[in-house]
Structure formats: C-alpha cells, structure tokens
Amino acid sequence: MVTVSIMRPDPKKTLFENVQELMLRRYGKENQTRFAADTKIRAGGIIRIKSQKANVGIDTLEMIAKEFDLEVWQLLLPGLHLPTSNEVQEPSSQYSIHPAWPFPRVSPEHYARLPAVDKARVEGYVESLVSQMDASQTGSAKNTKRT
C-alpha cells in the first residue's frame, strides 16, 4: 500500500501573502496604516495577519474581501490572482476559444497550471454548489406540487 502525503498550504501564510499583494496593487508598497483605514480593521488585526501566528476571525476576512470586491475564500487560496484593469473583460470575449469557460477572471491557461489536488478542490466546490442548487430546486418543485 502506497501512502501519499499532500502538502497543504499554510492558510495564515497564504492570507498574509494575499493581503501583501492587495497592498502592493493598491498602494504600490506595503502600507498597513492605509490598509487598516480602508478595511476598517484595527492595527492589531493587521499585525496578527502579518505575524502569521494568531488566528484571524471571519469578520476580519469579510472586511478585507468586501473592500477589495473579493470573496472570503479567495483570500485563503495561494497565488491570489487580481486582474489588471486591461484584463477585465466579458467572459465570452476574453476566452472566445472557450465559450463555456466559467471563470471570467481566471484564464484557462492559469487554471491548467494548478496542481491536480487544487483542480480537484475547485471541482468539488463547484459540485457542492450545483448539488445545493439542485436540492433547493427539487424542494421548491415538491412544495409547488403540494399546493
């Protein structure tokens, strides 16, 4: 029997790297004071993120995500990809060779570079969303038939 060990990224390190990327994109350098002011996070919260030692609460993640028009989960994925202003286009025109490509801010080429384990995580997440949607629609259909 072969045992395969999967290296999981450290979420605290990933969060700091992504926050650092957000600061670099917006301010051109790491600027904790402006970041704290923009996100309405106390300086201690920024220090906790930078130190990568203490836990950061969901509320803090939500405040960061909201300020940068992201989803919370994006802050916890390694290699945060933020499109530059000239990259943002409608999905159908941006990836015309992939007319059904579902991710307008991620190119198929970038996705292809992901390790298989990360692709499986993305697929699992999408599958769970579809299952939830199907379950809610099935529940709605049953409720409609009863009336």
Side-chain angles (χ1 to χ4, degrees):
M1 175 191 241
V2 176
T3 304
V4 177
S5 173
I6 297 173
M7 289 284 295
R8 298 199 186 275
D10 177 4
K12 293 174 186 170
K13 180 180 182 203
T14 299
L15 175 62
F16 170 66
E17 289 171 350
N18 288 339
V19 164
Q20 194 172 41
E21 175 69 17
L22 292 171
M23 285 190 276
L24 290 173
R25 288 284 182 112
R26 183 171 285 184
Y27 315 121
K29 63 180 183 174
E30 187 177 310
N31 189 326
Q32 295 177 28
T33 304
R34 286 185 63 193
F35 187 83
D38 288 350
T39 58
K40 317 244 183 325
I41 296 172
R42 293 184 185 159
I46 305 300
I47 291 168
R48 281 196 308 278
I49 291 169
K50 186 171 182 173
S51 73
Q52 304 171 36
K53 301 221 184 305
N55 292 328
V56 176
I58 285 289
D59 292 341
T60 300
L61 295 175
E62 287 175 336
M63 290 161 64
I64 296 169
K66 181 179 178 185
E67 176 62 28
F68 288 90
D69 196 29
L70 298 169
E71 298 294 329
V72 169
W73 60 266
Q74 290 177 283
L75 296 170
L76 300 173
L77 289 179
L80 178 66
H81 172 72
L82 297 174
T84 58
S85 59
N86 62 352
E87 286 179 316
V88 179
Q89 299 174 10
E90 289 301 312
S92 59
S93 64
Q94 186 174 6
Y95 304 117
S96 56
I97 61 169
H98 300 281
W101 184 249
F103 308 112
R105 297 184 300 183
V106 179
S107 73
E109 294 76 19
H110 281 109
Y111 180 81
R113 293 190 339 225
L114 286 174
V117 67
D118 290 338
K119 289 178 186 173
R121 290 165 67 198
V122 170
E123 184 176 343
Y125 180 72
V126 171
E127 285 180 75
S128 71
L129 291 175
V130 169
S131 293
Q132 290 173 9
M133 182 185 69
D134 289 345
S136 83
Q137 289 176 347
T138 303
S140 297
K142 286 180 182 176
N143 290 338
T144 304
K145 290 178 184 176
R146 289 182 193 165
T147 57

